[in-house]
Amino acid sequence: MKYKISICYPDKSKIEHRQLIDKETALSFITNYPWRNQIKLMNSLPVEKVQYSPSVRISNVKNRHYLELTYHCENREESLFSLWYGRAKEVKLFFGFLGKIKKNNVYDKWDLNKDDAIYHFEKFLEEDYINLEKLMIAS
């Protein structure tokens, strides 16, 4: 399966897009991304100069599912991330009598440590979307 990466930097208004990588490269990128350096950069900027929170989105090119990881804060004990899982879902209109449409669904989960966030990415890259969705809606 092929994936593309979109990266949001705190100091840049333009989102960086990288094309077509495999799942091993995607997982390595997420795992080794310099999250702490990016949050330090964000914290060093005046508030009005911050463009984005440090974020990386991995998108499945074939089915357009994506999982985005955002580094949103660092406390004394650990770094905290939020995850955003997006996919199109077929929805029946008026019990199916009016047909079906594709609706974009986005699930978010907050305050994950890095290991838990990486685990979610592993499920995403394995295309285990059923279990990923269960993980995303579990408290």
Side-chain angles (χ1 to χ4, degrees), residues 21-53:
I21 58 170
D22 59 26
K23 70 180 184 179
E24 291 80 18
T25 305
L27 185 60
S28 177
F29 186 88
I30 287 290
T31 304
N32 298 312
Y33 190 75
W35 295 105
R36 287 184 189 252
N37 291 345
Q38 291 298 305
I39 204 79
K40 286 178 185 174
L41 172 62
M42 186 177 86
N43 291 337
S44 72
L45 296 171
V47 173
E48 64 276 2
K49 297 283 186 184
V50 173
Q51 301 296 315
Y52 299 101
S53 292

Side-chain angles (χ1 to χ4, degrees), residues 55-100:
S55 302
V56 174
R57 177 183 287 192
I58 306 289
S59 301
N60 183 313
V61 174
K62 184 178 177 184
N63 62 23
R64 296 187 177 168
H65 289 228
Y66 69 84
L67 191 60
E68 184 170 327
L69 181 60
T70 300
Y71 193 171
H72 65 86
C73 78
E74 187 171 341
N75 64 24
R76 281 180 260 166
E77 290 105 39
E78 62 188 343
S79 301
L80 298 175
F81 295 86
S82 59
L83 281 175
W84 305 83
Y85 171 51
R87 67 180 183 89
K89 186 175 185 178
E90 205 168 76
V91 178
K92 294 179 184 179
L93 296 174
F94 195 65
F95 306 105
F97 295 118
L98 299 177
K100 300 176 185 175

